[in-house]
Amino acid sequence: METNLVLLKKELGQSPQFVFRYYTKNLCLVYNRGFANENIINRDILPHLSLIFQGELEPYQIPVAEVIKTSNLEQVAQEISKGYTALIQDNSIDLYLFNTKGLEKRAVIEPPTERTTRGSRAGFIEDLETNISLVRSTLNTPALTVEYFTIGELASTKGAILFLDNVATPDIVNEVRHRLKNIKVDNILATGEIENHIEDHPWSLFPQAFGTEKPNKVAANLAEGRVAIMLNGTPYVLLVPALFVQFFQGVEDYFDRFWVANYARVLRFAGLVLAMTITPTYIALVTYHHDLLPFSLLLSIAEIRREVPFPPIIEALIIETILEMLREAGLRLPNPLGQTLGVVGGIVLGQAIISAKIVSPLIIIVVTISAVASFMIPNYSASLGIRLVKYPLMLLAATFGAFGIAVGLILFITHQASMESFGVPYMAPLAPTRLRDVGDSILVSHTWKMKNRPASIPHQKDQRIADSLQEHRQK
Amino acid sequence: MTDNYKYRLTSKNFAFLLIATMQEVTILQLPGKAAEFAGNDAWLSILLASIPAFVSLFLILKICARYPRLSLGELNDEVCGVYIGKFLSLAYILYAVANAAVIIRLFSEVVSSFLLVRTPCWILTLVMVLTVTYIFSRDIRAIAWMNEFTQYLLLAFFLLFIFLVSKADYHFLLPIGDAGVKNILLGTQGAFFNYISPEILLVVYPFIENKKEILKAGSLAVLFSVVTYTLITIFVIINFGGTLANIFVWDFLDLIKSYQLPLVERSEFFTAIFWSWIAIRSSSNELFMARHTLAKAAGISGKYLTYIILALAGFVYGLTLIPETTSETQTYASMVGFAGMFFMLGLPVILWAVSALRGVRET
């Protein structure tokens, strides 16, 4: 027993968190004070140790949810770290692990970055098992397959991939397994790190895995043939393969009235175009093509800009940078402070900067429209990418006017068209065109009309609506 | 970066690739060229000039069906032997690069004349060359998908030209056929060159999955161009008339310039953006064809493709600097046009005849 304890101490490392509770000199319990529930140990394990000592009870008869028998000290150390309690006996090479996990969990609340007006408010938490259960409660089918994996050579973290085995194609699932297996790192902290390791184009501005904290989104995507990647300790779940249009789809689009949903969807794509091009267009028009502006507008622009000392590009860069700084600062501040920052930054600073004639009011309007447009994009990672695309376009517009914008846009389109996510064209169903999926891209069709799974995502079972009552009524 | 046939194209992808290669900057002066002889009947010349493109598609399919796995760089060697084959491949590469250079130079001159008057042309051509280099360094699927996506945007943009009928005089079109058959036929001379491009099928044939659909897809692509060109010509004729159309160098652009839209008043800003795409797409496609043919003819792959791409980029930029005036560029454009006619019609006939003599049958 002493040898085992010495070796175990070596595996666990030096920490007062690990408790070595000797019942007798022949029996010892080891657990992690922070992760194990001491009530379970006191109530369900300690009272039975005397019986084990006397040989009247076997350790696996202890009334806890899970008992593991093992002689692998490395595994024992890992499980103790997660909240298991180990029983070490004299004259026995076998150790017993009792499930006494009792770490306090966060409540299943609505994620702040994915608020919704209709639909489920549930959001993932930091516990893997809870997250898997949340998906299973939304997508209750025996086809839902969960495969666990561990990543990390120095400190391992447990994760899981989820897919529907009768919908997702083996090619995609195998590719996910293969890429995860090839992540050789000491430790991993979040799914975002996994994304960096497995994505096809690491230098791109745009995410190639769709990240979400909502179980209903994961369920909907699994039902289309995607694979979900979860990691213990993070509420952010990755879905692959990802499509560019996917980042513009909101959950409400499928619940709202047909016209309202389409209006919102088109508005988001208009937001994408505006977020990227409105500031470069302003720069190009004011710098090079003022003769193309309506005369009355040109006069008022000239009047407004008369006392501004900077060219439009500098004006735009000053305001864009201030706005990005405010956004970045506001992101991590507590709510009341964030609001103060908004007032001070947005109103006071904006007013002061115009009064000081550093920039014109027109550029404030342009940059604000651009910022609001970028906030319309439902996915935070995608909106960040789109905001950054604007800067090279601004520089090109300042150097070559409309021609510069044209060059920038076609480079952007080519870059997007050449991207793939796990072998699936990133710009599908727009390029290449998949007519069947156009009903859920820039526009959104009635859900009862989406009878087949999206052609853009490889899948096994094509039909998802066998018969539509609404269709009969329409006929 | 690889040129193996792992990157498959659908027949639809090919159609978009063909449209994008065919429609290039000279559309801006197409109506005027046809009107030189055909006057107000220029649109009839545009329609007639499309016939060689359909014939070319048919001929190319005949020869490619005999060698379905071979691209032009390999096909020339297989049919004509190594020496003549390599010579034909080299000639095609020179033609494709020269064609791209002419497109880039002509469009730079348009930008220089209408938008960036003080920016030297060599700077604009450099920007264009750098842009097309990025594009033609991608794989064929990415290029085809880019063409496809931009085509939808361009189509939406073309629909805006409906405003060009608001001040039109339809009497310019009447009486139909007034110019006479001879003049209408002479008018096709200037329009033939705008239909050059089916020869890209010789290069991309092995990439295409469903070979049975190529003729239909290719014909629809040519038909799409026919409709576009005819509409553009009709717009110019009903606004300017054939005589005036012939005087302007960039008649379609001048037409757009002469109209005022509500709110934005003048639409050149958007026209410049969309027309840049047209020029960039066609030159990128031509350079991809040159790159692939060179790679196949020289048996180069892997990392050495990067050197081919850089060499072609340098070469095309050098060619864009040769013309000193717009009329000189136009002369080069005509020379490239004649070369294009050879590769579109002459080369398939030669390859088909030689392979027939050698007794190769269609597979």
Side-chain angles (χ1 to χ4, degrees), chain B residues 283-304:
Chain B
S283 47
S284 305
N285 293 355
E286 288 290 358
L287 285 170
F288 178 85
M289 303 306 151
R291 159 199 151 178
H292 187 67
T293 307
L294 184 53
K296 287 293 168 193
I300 293 169
S301 61
K303 63 177 184 178
Y304 295 105

Side-chain angles (χ1 to χ4, degrees), chain A residues 280-281 284-285 288-289 291-295 399-403 405-407 409-411 413-415 417-420 423 425 427 430-435, chain B residues 7 12-13 16 107 111 115-116 119 123-124 127-128 131 134-135 138 141-142 145-146 148-150 152-153 263-266 268-269 272-273 276-277 280-281:
Chain A
T281 304
L285 282 171
Y288 290 99
H289 317 300
D291 53 325
L292 299 181
L293 287 164
F295 189 64
T399 322
F400 299 109
F403 175 65
I405 297 175
V407 163
L409 285 178
I410 203 160
L411 287 174
I413 294 169
T414 310
H415 168 71
S418 56
M419 274 177 29
E420 286 185 23
M427 285 292 273
L430 304 174
T433 323
R434 312 253 198 243
L435 285 177
Chain B
Y7 297 100
K12 193 173 68 185
N13 294 153
F16 281 104
F107 188 75
V111 174
L115 284 173
L116 301 169
T119 309
I123 291 281
L124 297 172
V127 175
M128 289 271 284
T131 310
Y134 173 74
I135 297 171
R138 310 282 94 189
R141 270 197 324 188
W145 293 341
M146 180 275 287
E148 196 169 338
F149 185 68
T150 47
Y152 297 130
L153 299 176
L263 191 68
V264 289
E265 289 198 3
R266 281 168 57 185
E268 288 108 300
F269 187 82
I273 291 178
S276 308
W277 290 2
I280 289 168
R281 289 185 332 161

Side-chain angles (χ1 to χ4, degrees), chain A residues 15 17-19 30-38 41 79-85:
Chain A
S15 170
Q17 259 201 321
F18 298 110
V19 177
V30 187
Y31 63 91
N32 182 341
R33 189 177 280 138
F35 283 77
N37 185 338
E38 287 186 320
I41 299 170
E79 300 300 343
I80 289 172
S81 303
K82 291 171 190 167
Y84 279 72
T85 298

Side-chain angles (χ1 to χ4, degrees), chain B residues 36-68:
Chain B
E36 188 181 348
F37 295 99
N40 292 349
D41 287 325
W43 63 279
L44 286 172
S45 303
I46 302 292
L47 282 177
L48 286 173
S50 66
I51 294 168
F54 290 105
V55 175
S56 168
L57 272 178
F58 179 76
L59 288 172
I60 292 170
L61 279 174
K62 277 279 170 200
I63 179 68
C64 287
R66 295 179 181 203
Y67 305 93

